Amino acid sequence: MSGSAFAMLTCCSHFGKMVRLAGVDIKINMSYKLFRLILIISVFATFVSQINGNSKKKEVPTLGERVLQLVDMSTKRPIIRLNGDKFRQYVKASPRNYSFVIMLTALSSQRQCAICRQAHDEFQIVANSWRYSQLFSNHLFFGMVDFDEGPDVFQYLGQNSAPVFIHFPEKGKPKKADVMDIQRIGFAAETIARWIGERTDTQIRVFRPPNYSGTIALVILFALIGALLYMRRNNLDFLYNKTSWGIAALCIVFAMTSGQMWNHIRGPPFMHRTPRGNVAYVHGSSGGQFIVETYIVIVLNAAVVFGMILLNEAAASKGDPRKRKIMAVVGLALVAFFFSLILSIFRSKAHGYPYSFLFK
Ligand SMILES: *[C@@H]1O[C@H](CO)[C@@H](O)[C@H](O)[C@H]1NC(C)=O
């Protein structure tokens, strides 16, 4: 019906043109304009009433329809992208007879959430493992809400950070344990799968696509060392050099005691910029750290160690006494200063830590 109304509209506007082309009295033209206006309004009114009628007639999909749609969507994409409307339609809806595991995230680049990417990759591994497992069925689905697509969902769930993993059980609302504690247990795919296994009766066997980059790096490293040894095969004295071994050992100790391994596993941000433009280089609690913080710790540790070495050399070497005295004083100053600094950083992280030296 609306189709024929459209046809009429076009016909008459041609007609109007024809009238004008024929040079008929301008009054006639005006009356056609009026006619067209009335026609447009009536067509518009019909449309509006139809849309209203539709929205009244439009029914909420039944549980069976929703389940079918969800299976269809997760077959195409193991993690279903949800905005506010879809979230209300599929996740918040009741009744449900399926569990939903939702990741709240912020992947757009201006949000600067590096950890969200990693969390997404791990979540993807779990969702793929489930999607392609033989147990795959319609009682567990994976979804994600990006902050820029569904800020209302974050608000509804009372979450203001990302990434967050929430399990929506088959019945009722998520409880406290349905929000995964990534601060404590991290978000490796295996951890997520185990957590889902505890919340539902679905055990997902995680299948990680093989990653050869570590192996390749190791092979390249050994090849380089081999090449170096081969080139210097006539002069291998450096292998018996205590200092070079000492430096190598110190480097490993510095890397390991400054939290590089933690960075590798948790993937923290490089530093933190507050909305007001302040920059934090040191995380304010002992439960976290920034990448730049670990570099600061390396430098401070190295300075303390350098001071210690100077002190040791001053005592052990048999050189010029004046030079040794200077070395001892510089060494002592380095140790005292940088040790105090590292203590005060520690105090700022572990609140209530009682010890300090030189400055607070
Ligand atoms: C959930 O209910 C729908 C509709 O009754 C049904 O098709 C589906 O198989 C049910 N799912 C499970 C896991 O029982």
PDB file of all heavy atoms in Angstrom, residues 114-115 118-119 122 182-191 208 256 259-269 289 291:
ATOM      1  N   ALA A 114      46.354  -1.775  26.730  1.00  0.00           N
ATOM      2  CA  ALA A 114      47.187  -2.821  26.124  1.00  0.00           C
ATOM      3  C   ALA A 114      46.796  -4.188  26.663  1.00  0.00           C
ATOM      4  O   ALA A 114      46.757  -5.180  25.931  1.00  0.00           O
ATOM      5  CB  ALA A 114      48.653  -2.543  26.409  1.00  0.00           C
ATOM      6  N   ILE A 115      46.449  -4.211  27.926  1.00  0.00           N
ATOM      7  CA  ILE A 115      46.128  -5.477  28.578  1.00  0.00           C
ATOM      8  C   ILE A 115      44.820  -6.048  28.008  1.00  0.00           C
ATOM      9  O   ILE A 115      44.629  -7.260  27.978  1.00  0.00           O
ATOM     10  CB  ILE A 115      46.059  -5.242  30.098  1.00  0.00           C
ATOM     11  CG1 ILE A 115      45.870  -6.534  30.863  1.00  0.00           C
ATOM     12  CG2 ILE A 115      44.966  -4.283  30.453  1.00  0.00           C
ATOM     13  CD1 ILE A 115      45.861  -6.308  32.342  1.00  0.00           C
ATOM     14  N   GLN A 118      45.543  -8.420  25.118  1.00  0.00           N
ATOM     15  CA  GLN A 118      46.000  -9.734  25.557  1.00  0.00           C
ATOM     16  C   GLN A 118      44.845 -10.535  26.130  1.00  0.00           C
ATOM     17  O   GLN A 118      44.698 -11.727  25.834  1.00  0.00           O
ATOM     18  CB  GLN A 118      47.071  -9.583  26.620  1.00  0.00           C
ATOM     19  CG  GLN A 118      48.312  -8.912  26.098  1.00  0.00           C
ATOM     20  CD  GLN A 118      49.329  -8.731  27.196  1.00  0.00           C
ATOM     21  OE1 GLN A 118      49.142  -9.196  28.315  1.00  0.00           O
ATOM     22  NE2 GLN A 118      50.412  -8.052  26.872  1.00  0.00           N
ATOM     23  N   ALA A 119      44.015  -9.863  26.932  1.00  0.00           N
ATOM     24  CA  ALA A 119      42.858 -10.557  27.516  1.00  0.00           C
ATOM     25  C   ALA A 119      41.947 -11.063  26.408  1.00  0.00           C
ATOM     26  O   ALA A 119      41.431 -12.177  26.468  1.00  0.00           O
ATOM     27  CB  ALA A 119      42.102  -9.618  28.447  1.00  0.00           C
ATOM     28  N   GLU A 122      43.415 -14.216  24.829  1.00  0.00           N
ATOM     29  CA  GLU A 122      43.224 -15.397  25.675  1.00  0.00           C
ATOM     30  C   GLU A 122      41.763 -15.851  25.645  1.00  0.00           C
ATOM     31  O   GLU A 122      41.472 -17.041  25.551  1.00  0.00           O
ATOM     32  CB  GLU A 122      43.650 -15.093  27.115  1.00  0.00           C
ATOM     33  CG  GLU A 122      45.130 -14.788  27.266  1.00  0.00           C
ATOM     34  CD  GLU A 122      46.011 -15.976  26.914  1.00  0.00           C
ATOM     35  OE1 GLU A 122      45.767 -17.069  27.435  1.00  0.00           O
ATOM     36  OE2 GLU A 122      46.944 -15.796  26.099  1.00  0.00           O
ATOM     37  N   ILE A 182      40.728 -11.259  38.216  1.00  0.00           N
ATOM     38  CA  ILE A 182      41.955 -11.353  37.407  1.00  0.00           C
ATOM     39  C   ILE A 182      43.151 -10.781  38.144  1.00  0.00           C
ATOM     40  O   ILE A 182      44.283 -11.115  37.825  1.00  0.00           O
ATOM     41  CB  ILE A 182      41.793 -10.689  36.017  1.00  0.00           C
ATOM     42  CG1 ILE A 182      41.456  -9.220  36.152  1.00  0.00           C
ATOM     43  CG2 ILE A 182      40.751 -11.378  35.206  1.00  0.00           C
ATOM     44  CD1 ILE A 182      41.433  -8.517  34.815  1.00  0.00           C
ATOM     45  N   GLN A 183      42.923  -9.917  39.127  1.00  0.00           N
ATOM     46  CA  GLN A 183      44.058  -9.407  39.909  1.00  0.00           C
ATOM     47  C   GLN A 183      44.776 -10.558  40.592  1.00  0.00           C
ATOM     48  O   GLN A 183      45.990 -10.537  40.754  1.00  0.00           O
ATOM     49  CB  GLN A 183      43.569  -8.427  40.981  1.00  0.00           C
ATOM     50  CG  GLN A 183      43.123  -7.098  40.452  1.00  0.00           C
ATOM     51  CD  GLN A 183      44.282  -6.265  39.955  1.00  0.00           C
ATOM     52  OE1 GLN A 183      45.430  -6.506  40.312  1.00  0.00           O
ATOM     53  NE2 GLN A 183      44.010  -5.308  39.102  1.00  0.00           N
ATOM     54  N   ARG A 184      43.987 -11.550  41.028  1.00  0.00           N
ATOM     55  CA  ARG A 184      44.577 -12.628  41.812  1.00  0.00           C
ATOM     56  C   ARG A 184      45.013 -13.787  40.918  1.00  0.00           C
ATOM     57  O   ARG A 184      46.103 -14.324  41.099  1.00  0.00           O
ATOM     58  CB  ARG A 184      43.558 -13.119  42.853  1.00  0.00           C
ATOM     59  CG  ARG A 184      44.168 -13.937  43.978  1.00  0.00           C
ATOM     60  CD  ARG A 184      43.153 -14.112  45.090  1.00  0.00           C
ATOM     61  NE  ARG A 184      41.927 -14.751  44.613  1.00  0.00           N
ATOM     62  CZ  ARG A 184      41.819 -16.058  44.407  1.00  0.00           C
ATOM     63  NH1 ARG A 184      42.818 -16.867  44.644  1.00  0.00           N
ATOM     64  NH2 ARG A 184      40.677 -16.551  43.962  1.00  0.00           N
ATOM     65  N   ILE A 185      44.184 -14.177  39.957  1.00  0.00           N
ATOM     66  CA  ILE A 185      44.502 -15.405  39.230  1.00  0.00           C
ATOM     67  C   ILE A 185      44.920 -15.148  37.788  1.00  0.00           C
ATOM     68  O   ILE A 185      45.280 -16.075  37.096  1.00  0.00           O
ATOM     69  CB  ILE A 185      43.309 -16.396  39.254  1.00  0.00           C
ATOM     70  CG1 ILE A 185      42.055 -15.787  38.630  1.00  0.00           C
ATOM     71  CG2 ILE A 185      43.017 -16.835  40.670  1.00  0.00           C
ATOM     72  CD1 ILE A 185      40.911 -16.762  38.529  1.00  0.00           C
ATOM     73  N   GLY A 186      44.888 -13.884  37.336  1.00  0.00           N
ATOM     74  CA  GLY A 186      45.293 -13.611  35.965  1.00  0.00           C
ATOM     75  C   GLY A 186      44.210 -14.012  34.981  1.00  0.00           C
ATOM     76  O   GLY A 186      43.102 -14.352  35.376  1.00  0.00           O
ATOM     77  N   PHE A 187      44.548 -13.964  33.668  1.00  0.00           N
ATOM     78  CA  PHE A 187      43.500 -14.303  32.706  1.00  0.00           C
ATOM     79  C   PHE A 187      44.024 -15.174  31.576  1.00  0.00           C
ATOM     80  O   PHE A 187      43.595 -15.053  30.444  1.00  0.00           O
ATOM     81  CB  PHE A 187      42.836 -13.040  32.147  1.00  0.00           C
ATOM     82  CG  PHE A 187      43.807 -12.010  31.623  1.00  0.00           C
ATOM     83  CD1 PHE A 187      44.570 -12.259  30.511  1.00  0.00           C
ATOM     84  CD2 PHE A 187      43.947 -10.793  32.263  1.00  0.00           C
ATOM     85  CE1 PHE A 187      45.452 -11.325  30.033  1.00  0.00           C
ATOM     86  CE2 PHE A 187      44.818  -9.844  31.796  1.00  0.00           C
ATOM     87  CZ  PHE A 187      45.586 -10.118  30.677  1.00  0.00           C
ATOM     88  N   ALA A 188      44.954 -16.057  31.906  1.00  0.00           N
ATOM     89  CA  ALA A 188      45.411 -17.002  30.879  1.00  0.00           C
ATOM     90  C   ALA A 188      44.231 -17.867  30.455  1.00  0.00           C
ATOM     91  O   ALA A 188      43.317 -18.102  31.252  1.00  0.00           O
ATOM     92  CB  ALA A 188      46.528 -17.865  31.433  1.00  0.00           C
ATOM     93  N   ALA A 189      44.254 -18.320  29.202  1.00  0.00           N
ATOM     94  CA  ALA A 189      43.121 -19.090  28.672  1.00  0.00           C
ATOM     95  C   ALA A 189      42.797 -20.279  29.579  1.00  0.00           C
ATOM     96  O   ALA A 189      41.624 -20.554  29.856  1.00  0.00           O
ATOM     97  CB  ALA A 189      43.447 -19.566  27.261  1.00  0.00           C
ATOM     98  N   GLU A 190      43.829 -20.951  30.072  1.00  0.00           N
ATOM     99  CA  GLU A 190      43.611 -22.123  30.932  1.00  0.00           C
ATOM    100  C   GLU A 190      42.890 -21.714  32.222  1.00  0.00           C
ATOM    101  O   GLU A 190      42.011 -22.433  32.708  1.00  0.00           O
ATOM    102  CB  GLU A 190      44.944 -22.785  31.284  1.00  0.00           C
ATOM    103  CG  GLU A 190      45.634 -23.473  30.116  1.00  0.00           C
ATOM    104  CD  GLU A 190      46.317 -22.512  29.156  1.00  0.00           C
ATOM    105  OE1 GLU A 190      46.401 -21.302  29.481  1.00  0.00           O
ATOM    106  OE2 GLU A 190      46.739 -22.951  28.073  1.00  0.00           O
ATOM    107  N   THR A 191      43.283 -20.544  32.742  1.00  0.00           N
ATOM    108  CA  THR A 191      42.648 -20.057  33.979  1.00  0.00           C
ATOM    109  C   THR A 191      41.181 -19.748  33.732  1.00  0.00           C
ATOM    110  O   THR A 191      40.309 -20.102  34.535  1.00  0.00           O
ATOM    111  CB  THR A 191      43.351 -18.780  34.453  1.00  0.00           C
ATOM    112  OG1 THR A 191      44.748 -18.996  34.404  1.00  0.00           O
ATOM    113  CG2 THR A 191      42.936 -18.421  35.847  1.00  0.00           C
ATOM    114  N   ARG A 208      45.553 -24.403  22.366  1.00  0.00           N
ATOM    115  CA  ARG A 208      46.310 -23.215  21.991  1.00  0.00           C
ATOM    116  C   ARG A 208      46.957 -23.440  20.639  1.00  0.00           C
ATOM    117  O   ARG A 208      47.647 -24.446  20.457  1.00  0.00           O
ATOM    118  CB  ARG A 208      47.434 -23.008  23.006  1.00  0.00           C
ATOM    119  CG  ARG A 208      47.362 -21.708  23.727  1.00  0.00           C
ATOM    120  CD  ARG A 208      48.446 -21.663  24.758  1.00  0.00           C
ATOM    121  NE  ARG A 208      47.913 -21.117  25.989  1.00  0.00           N
ATOM    122  CZ  ARG A 208      47.626 -19.838  26.164  1.00  0.00           C
ATOM    123  NH1 ARG A 208      47.858 -18.977  25.207  1.00  0.00           N
ATOM    124  NH2 ARG A 208      47.128 -19.414  27.294  1.00  0.00           N
ATOM    125  N   MET A 256      65.545 -10.472  36.793  1.00  0.00           N
ATOM    126  CA  MET A 256      64.632 -11.335  37.549  1.00  0.00           C
ATOM    127  C   MET A 256      64.128 -10.665  38.824  1.00  0.00           C
ATOM    128  O   MET A 256      63.007 -10.936  39.257  1.00  0.00           O
ATOM    129  CB  MET A 256      65.330 -12.657  37.904  1.00  0.00           C
ATOM    130  CG  MET A 256      65.554 -13.530  36.705  1.00  0.00           C
ATOM    131  SD  MET A 256      63.968 -13.936  35.939  1.00  0.00           S
ATOM    132  CE  MET A 256      64.491 -14.410  34.317  1.00  0.00           C
ATOM    133  N   GLY A 259      61.085  -7.726  38.349  1.00  0.00           N
ATOM    134  CA  GLY A 259      59.700  -8.031  37.977  1.00  0.00           C
ATOM    135  C   GLY A 259      59.476  -8.143  36.477  1.00  0.00           C
ATOM    136  O   GLY A 259      58.365  -7.927  36.006  1.00  0.00           O
ATOM    137  N   GLN A 260      60.502  -8.455  35.694  1.00  0.00           N
ATOM    138  CA  GLN A 260      60.300  -8.625  34.243  1.00  0.00           C
ATOM    139  C   GLN A 260      59.389  -9.809  33.959  1.00  0.00           C
ATOM    140  O   GLN A 260      58.596  -9.786  33.023  1.00  0.00           O
ATOM    141  CB  GLN A 260      61.644  -8.844  33.531  1.00  0.00           C
ATOM    142  CG  GLN A 260      62.625  -7.702  33.659  1.00  0.00           C
ATOM    143  CD  GLN A 260      62.029  -6.384  33.219  1.00  0.00           C
ATOM    144  OE1 GLN A 260      61.349  -6.299  32.225  1.00  0.00           O
ATOM    145  NE2 GLN A 260      62.268  -5.342  34.006  1.00  0.00           N
ATOM    146  N   MET A 261      59.512 -10.848  34.797  1.00  0.00           N
ATOM    147  CA  MET A 261      58.695 -12.040  34.579  1.00  0.00           C
ATOM    148  C   MET A 261      57.223 -11.693  34.801  1.00  0.00           C
ATOM    149  O   MET A 261      56.352 -12.121  34.046  1.00  0.00           O
ATOM    150  CB  MET A 261      59.157 -13.129  35.543  1.00  0.00           C
ATOM    151  CG  MET A 261      58.910 -14.515  35.045  1.00  0.00           C
ATOM    152  SD  MET A 261      59.213 -14.657  33.296  1.00  0.00           S
ATOM    153  CE  MET A 261      60.452 -15.870  33.260  1.00  0.00           C
ATOM    154  N   TRP A 262      56.980 -10.904  35.831  1.00  0.00           N
ATOM    155  CA  TRP A 262      55.603 -10.463  36.127  1.00  0.00           C
ATOM    156  C   TRP A 262      55.049  -9.692  34.932  1.00  0.00           C
ATOM    157  O   TRP A 262      53.912  -9.897  34.514  1.00  0.00           O
ATOM    158  CB  TRP A 262      55.640  -9.582  37.382  1.00  0.00           C
ATOM    159  CG  TRP A 262      54.323  -9.392  38.062  1.00  0.00           C
ATOM    160  CD1 TRP A 262      53.830 -10.135  39.092  1.00  0.00           C
ATOM    161  CD2 TRP A 262      53.350  -8.393  37.781  1.00  0.00           C
ATOM    162  NE1 TRP A 262      52.597  -9.651  39.461  1.00  0.00           N
ATOM    163  CE2 TRP A 262      52.275  -8.587  38.677  1.00  0.00           C
ATOM    164  CE3 TRP A 262      53.264  -7.345  36.856  1.00  0.00           C
ATOM    165  CZ2 TRP A 262      51.151  -7.771  38.691  1.00  0.00           C
ATOM    166  CZ3 TRP A 262      52.131  -6.553  36.863  1.00  0.00           C
ATOM    167  CH2 TRP A 262      51.090  -6.762  37.768  1.00  0.00           C
ATOM    168  N   ASN A 263      55.889  -8.777  34.390  1.00  0.00           N
ATOM    169  CA  ASN A 263      55.454  -8.021  33.201  1.00  0.00           C
ATOM    170  C   ASN A 263      55.072  -8.957  32.074  1.00  0.00           C
ATOM    171  O   ASN A 263      54.084  -8.763  31.383  1.00  0.00           O
ATOM    172  CB  ASN A 263      56.588  -7.132  32.679  1.00  0.00           C
ATOM    173  CG  ASN A 263      56.828  -5.948  33.581  1.00  0.00           C
ATOM    174  OD1 ASN A 263      56.047  -5.715  34.481  1.00  0.00           O
ATOM    175  ND2 ASN A 263      57.894  -5.225  33.330  1.00  0.00           N
ATOM    176  N   HIS A 264      55.910  -9.970  31.891  1.00  0.00           N
ATOM    177  CA  HIS A 264      55.710 -10.902  30.794  1.00  0.00           C
ATOM    178  C   HIS A 264      54.366 -11.619  30.942  1.00  0.00           C
ATOM    179  O   HIS A 264      53.647 -11.825  29.964  1.00  0.00           O
ATOM    180  CB  HIS A 264      56.860 -11.896  30.785  1.00  0.00           C
ATOM    181  CG  HIS A 264      56.831 -12.819  29.626  1.00  0.00           C
ATOM    182  ND1 HIS A 264      57.134 -12.408  28.351  1.00  0.00           N
ATOM    183  CD2 HIS A 264      56.497 -14.118  29.534  1.00  0.00           C
ATOM    184  CE1 HIS A 264      57.008 -13.425  27.537  1.00  0.00           C
ATOM    185  NE2 HIS A 264      56.618 -14.469  28.225  1.00  0.00           N
ATOM    186  N   ILE A 265      54.029 -11.981  32.182  1.00  0.00           N
ATOM    187  CA  ILE A 265      52.815 -12.756  32.405  1.00  0.00           C
ATOM    188  C   ILE A 265      51.574 -11.854  32.425  1.00  0.00           C
ATOM    189  O   ILE A 265      50.562 -12.154  31.784  1.00  0.00           O
ATOM    190  CB  ILE A 265      52.922 -13.535  33.730  1.00  0.00           C
ATOM    191  CG1 ILE A 265      54.032 -14.572  33.621  1.00  0.00           C
ATOM    192  CG2 ILE A 265      51.606 -14.214  34.072  1.00  0.00           C
ATOM    193  CD1 ILE A 265      54.407 -15.205  34.923  1.00  0.00           C
ATOM    194  N   ARG A 266      51.664 -10.710  33.133  1.00  0.00           N
ATOM    195  CA  ARG A 266      50.466  -9.905  33.328  1.00  0.00           C
ATOM    196  C   ARG A 266      50.289  -8.828  32.260  1.00  0.00           C
ATOM    197  O   ARG A 266      49.187  -8.315  32.103  1.00  0.00           O
ATOM    198  CB  ARG A 266      50.501  -9.215  34.687  1.00  0.00           C
ATOM    199  CG  ARG A 266      50.567 -10.157  35.844  1.00  0.00           C
ATOM    200  CD  ARG A 266      49.229 -10.870  36.022  1.00  0.00           C
ATOM    201  NE  ARG A 266      49.262 -11.703  37.205  1.00  0.00           N
ATOM    202  CZ  ARG A 266      48.895 -11.284  38.411  1.00  0.00           C
ATOM    203  NH1 ARG A 266      48.479 -10.067  38.571  1.00  0.00           N
ATOM    204  NH2 ARG A 266      48.946 -12.077  39.435  1.00  0.00           N
ATOM    205  N   GLY A 267      51.384  -8.438  31.594  1.00  0.00           N
ATOM    206  CA  GLY A 267      51.243  -7.409  30.574  1.00  0.00           C
ATOM    207  C   GLY A 267      50.699  -6.096  31.094  1.00  0.00           C
ATOM    208  O   GLY A 267      49.673  -5.611  30.617  1.00  0.00           O
ATOM    209  N   PRO A 268      51.325  -5.485  32.098  1.00  0.00           N
ATOM    210  CA  PRO A 268      50.811  -4.207  32.610  1.00  0.00           C
ATOM    211  C   PRO A 268      51.070  -3.084  31.618  1.00  0.00           C
ATOM    212  O   PRO A 268      51.858  -3.248  30.687  1.00  0.00           O
ATOM    213  CB  PRO A 268      51.636  -3.993  33.882  1.00  0.00           C
ATOM    214  CG  PRO A 268      52.924  -4.665  33.598  1.00  0.00           C
ATOM    215  CD  PRO A 268      52.603  -5.848  32.732  1.00  0.00           C
ATOM    216  N   PRO A 269      50.401  -1.928  31.793  1.00  0.00           N
ATOM    217  CA  PRO A 269      50.679  -0.784  30.910  1.00  0.00           C
ATOM    218  C   PRO A 269      52.065  -0.214  31.182  1.00  0.00           C
ATOM    219  O   PRO A 269      52.642  -0.466  32.236  1.00  0.00           O
ATOM    220  CB  PRO A 269      49.601   0.221  31.288  1.00  0.00           C
ATOM    221  CG  PRO A 269      49.166  -0.166  32.646  1.00  0.00           C
ATOM    222  CD  PRO A 269      49.361  -1.633  32.778  1.00  0.00           C
ATOM    223  N   GLN A 289      52.194  -3.216  39.088  1.00  0.00           N
ATOM    224  CA  GLN A 289      53.386  -2.448  38.737  1.00  0.00           C
ATOM    225  C   GLN A 289      53.270  -2.026  37.280  1.00  0.00           C
ATOM    226  O   GLN A 289      52.501  -2.602  36.513  1.00  0.00           O
ATOM    227  CB  GLN A 289      54.651  -3.273  38.946  1.00  0.00           C
ATOM    228  CG  GLN A 289      54.794  -4.416  37.961  1.00  0.00           C
ATOM    229  CD  GLN A 289      56.009  -5.286  38.233  1.00  0.00           C
ATOM    230  OE1 GLN A 289      56.577  -5.248  39.314  1.00  0.00           O
ATOM    231  NE2 GLN A 289      56.396  -6.067  37.262  1.00  0.00           N
ATOM    232  N   ILE A 291      55.469  -1.077  33.604  1.00  0.00           N
ATOM    233  CA  ILE A 291      56.710  -1.519  32.972  1.00  0.00           C
ATOM    234  C   ILE A 291      57.833  -0.541  33.292  1.00  0.00           C
ATOM    235  O   ILE A 291      58.956  -0.944  33.629  1.00  0.00           O
ATOM    236  CB  ILE A 291      56.494  -1.654  31.454  1.00  0.00           C
ATOM    237  CG1 ILE A 291      55.574  -2.845  31.195  1.00  0.00           C
ATOM    238  CG2 ILE A 291      57.816  -1.852  30.742  1.00  0.00           C
ATOM    239  CD1 ILE A 291      55.276  -3.073  29.748  1.00  0.00           C
TER     240      ILE A 291
END
